[in-house]
Amino acid sequence: MSVTLQENGLDLQIIQLKKAAIILRAINHKLRQQMLSLMHQFERLTVTEIYIKLRLEQSVTSQQLAILRAAGFVVTKREGKKIYYSVNYTRLEEVQMKAEELAKYKP
């Protein structure tokens, strides 16, 4: 979906803006920040290891990991029956750089 303001030729890509907002909300959440910090500390963890260390329910942990994964902040690697989660540092750096760009705006 695109919105064009005829007066000045501004073309806003609403879908892209909504996707960007979802990505920023994914990282702007205390529990998900704790999960990323934990994964950083241990390099890689299973869902079970995460929920035990953070004293959470398995379903809550899985839901929060799904949000981080959809935003690209974590990557997974399967080894046998276990799936390991780790931080996607490249993605975090990309988002950090864009956020810094946006934060520099001064009207």
Side-chain angles (χ1 to χ4, degrees):
M1 179 179 189
S2 176
V3 174
T4 302
L5 302 176
Q6 297 297 328
E7 299 156 8
N8 60 9
L10 175 65
D11 186 28
L12 294 175
Q13 299 296 318
I14 301 301
I15 291 174
Q16 293 302 98
L17 291 172
K18 286 182 179 182
K19 286 180 182 179
I22 289 168
I23 290 166
L24 291 173
R25 277 196 304 268
I27 197 70
N28 188 27
H29 187 278
K30 185 88 169 163
L31 179 55
R32 292 190 285 267
Q33 290 169 6
Q34 289 175 337
M35 294 171 105
L36 287 169
S37 178
L38 192 65
M39 283 182 265
H40 170 72
Q41 181 183 354
F42 290 93
E43 294 185 28
R44 66 181 199 159
L45 295 167
T46 64
V47 173
T48 303
E49 291 169 327
I50 294 169
Y51 77 72
I52 288 172
K53 290 181 186 307
L54 293 178
R55 297 183 178 153
L56 300 170
E57 291 183 23
Q58 184 273 331
S59 61
V60 170
T61 305
S62 294
Q63 289 169 353
Q64 300 308 314
L65 284 170
I67 292 167
L68 288 171
R69 190 174 180 187
F73 294 126
V74 296
V75 291
T76 60
K77 183 176 181 183
R78 179 180 287 277
E79 289 183 13
K81 292 183 178 182
K82 293 184 179 182
I83 299 175
Y84 289 92
Y85 289 82
S86 57
V87 178
N88 183 349
Y89 293 101
T90 303
R91 179 67 167 157
L92 282 173
E93 289 170 11
E94 288 173 356
V95 172
Q96 179 66 34
M97 287 177 13
K98 294 295 182 186
E100 287 174 6
E101 248 180 70
L102 289 169
K104 287 180 184 176
Y105 174 75
K106 294 179 183 172

